[in-house]
Amino acid sequence: MKIIAVIGAGTMGNGIAHTFAQSGFTVKLIDISEKSLDKGMTTIFTNLDRMVAKGTITEEDKIKTITNIITYTDIKDGVVGADLVVEAATENVELKLNIFKQLNEACSHNTILATNTSSISITQIGAVVAHPERVIGMHFMNPVPIMKLVEIIRGYNTSDEVTNIIMKLSEKLGKTPVEVNDYPGFVANRILMPMINEAIETLYNKVAGVYEIDTVMKLGMGHPMGPLQLADFIGLDVCIAILNVMYDGFKNPKYAPCPLLVNMVRAGKLGVKSGEGFYDYSESKKAEKISKQFV
């Protein structure tokens, strides 16, 4: 594999593009918004500068990485000649199905089609393309250039050959791939999201405050950040979307989003991206100031 197309220049998309480009691949970064592409490339520049400052990479490595990335605003143009397409659009099933229908028309039948979805069925996505055996999940973790794990999700029709190719490719990126099967939430979010939801329930039921809940999990369980801080980092809208996918998939009330989470998303309190969630990020992107509604 030499040419990788990445659809979506947001947090996950630009991180995936950065990672492939830094590993020497030619990357075609695609987004319908020129503004999003500019923002994504700015993020890649900033992250590379930070890596240079830390001595992780050289200035020459940074220049090579940037040179490896070409941007496009049209999917058909962007996927031409791609050996692999990684879709990293918003976690919305209809949007993803529409993208894969376009990929079915624009890509060669030999092109492997991957999705970075964190919860949506790979089998459902694969059903809208010819040769669904080439559709697979590559669930990268955020921030992509740093986090080692990649969940490799096999849909019902995903072939052994495609799975093996993607497992080996992930290793070339310096990642640790873990193969899992296609059930709602896969492994990472099936375990993580109920924990986050339970932390929100604990706050909702006034068992303890934001600081206390996060401190217990950090100091008592050895987590690098508390579940409420992590929810803010992920995005509360993303958390509720994943919980809803699992709730719909399993029909089990334990996956139902906490009413507090539902209300916060309705109010636009989405975490870091909106400037406020369980913490207030108006002065700093660090979770240092608790949101006034929880003080």
Side-chain angles (χ1 to χ4, degrees):
M1 283 195 177
K2 295 181 179 178
I3 301 175
I4 312 296
V6 178
I7 298 176
T11 300
M12 296 306 294
N14 71 60
I16 294 167
H18 171 163
T19 301
F20 273 106
Q22 192 176 323
S23 296
F25 293 89
T26 297
V27 177
K28 297 178 160 191
L29 181 58
I30 308 163
D31 199 296
I32 57 172
S33 166
E34 193 74 56
K35 183 178 179 181
S36 294
L37 285 169
D38 290 341
K39 185 177 179 181
M41 290 303 298
T42 298
T43 298
I44 293 171
F45 269 108
T46 301
N47 289 337
L48 287 168
D49 282 337
R50 188 177 294 118
M51 294 171 82
V52 171
K54 290 181 177 179
T56 309
I57 63 171
T58 65
E59 185 68 27
E60 184 181 0
D61 293 330
K62 169 192 164 183
I63 294 169
K64 284 181 179 178
T65 299
I66 292 298
T67 304
N68 284 340
I69 304 174
I70 312 162
T71 60
Y72 295 83
T73 54
D74 183 86
I75 286 181
K76 289 183 179 179
D77 291 340
V79 300
V80 170
D83 301 300
L84 167 69
V85 179
V86 182
E87 170 273 316
T90 305
E91 195 73 352
N92 176 288
V93 64
E94 295 304 323
L95 173 62
K96 290 185 185 292
L97 293 178
N98 181 53
I99 288 171
F100 273 80
K101 287 175 184 177
Q102 293 180 62
L103 294 177
N104 184 55
E105 297 295 326
C107 296
S108 159
H109 288 171
N110 295 321
T111 305
I112 296 176
L113 306 179
T115 173
N116 182 58
T117 181
S118 56
S119 61
I120 296 168
S121 169
I122 309 303
T123 303
Q124 182 181 8
I125 291 172
V128 302
V129 307
H131 304 289
E133 67 275 5
R134 64 193 169 126
V135 177
I136 194 165
M138 287 187 81
H139 179 208
F140 290 86
M141 304 294 127
N142 184 29
V144 181
I146 296 171
M147 299 292 279
K148 292 292 185 182
L149 176 67
V150 184
E151 269 190 309
I152 306 299
I153 307 105
R154 294 186 64 141
Y156 188 83
N157 293 303
T158 307
S159 70
D160 290 341
E161 180 185 8
V162 165
T163 302
N164 290 334
I165 289 170
I166 296 303
M167 292 285 284
K168 290 177 182 177
L169 177 65
S170 299
E171 290 173 352
K172 287 182 180 179
L173 297 176
K175 304 299 185 185
T176 300
V178 177
E179 181 182 335
V180 305
N181 290 318
D182 185 21
Y183 291 94
F186 315 132
V187 172
N189 282 318
R190 185 169 179 171
I191 295 170
L192 174 64
M193 285 303 157
M195 183 193 75
I196 286 176
N197 200 41
E198 193 62 30
I200 298 171
E201 285 277 2
T202 303
L203 178 65
Y204 179 56
N205 291 324
K206 296 182 170 57
V207 177
V210 171
Y211 170 80
E212 290 75 14
I213 291 168
D214 277 355
T215 300
V216 166
M217 297 306 291
K218 285 189 288 186
L219 300 186
M221 309 306 163
H223 292 194
M225 65 174 71
L228 300 177
Q229 180 187 356
L230 181 56
D232 276 355
F233 180 70
I234 293 168
L236 302 192
D237 53 336
V238 176
C239 291
I240 201 170
I242 295 169
L243 284 164
N244 281 330
V245 166
M246 293 195 291
Y247 183 60
D248 291 342
F250 292 115
K251 301 295 188 288
N252 189 324
K254 76 177 181 179
Y255 298 113
C258 174
L260 174 58
L261 174 60
V262 173
N263 276 342
M264 290 179 71
V265 172
R266 285 174 176 167
K269 309 296 185 182
L270 308 180
V272 177
K273 70 174 76 175
S274 70
E276 185 181 357
F278 295 104
Y279 294 86
D280 184 333
Y281 303 95
S282 59
E283 298 175 4
S284 170
K285 293 296 182 183
K286 296 180 180 179
E288 297 172 329
K289 182 180 178 182
I290 295 169
S291 176
K292 62 183 179 181
Q293 73 183 101
F294 300 119
V295 174

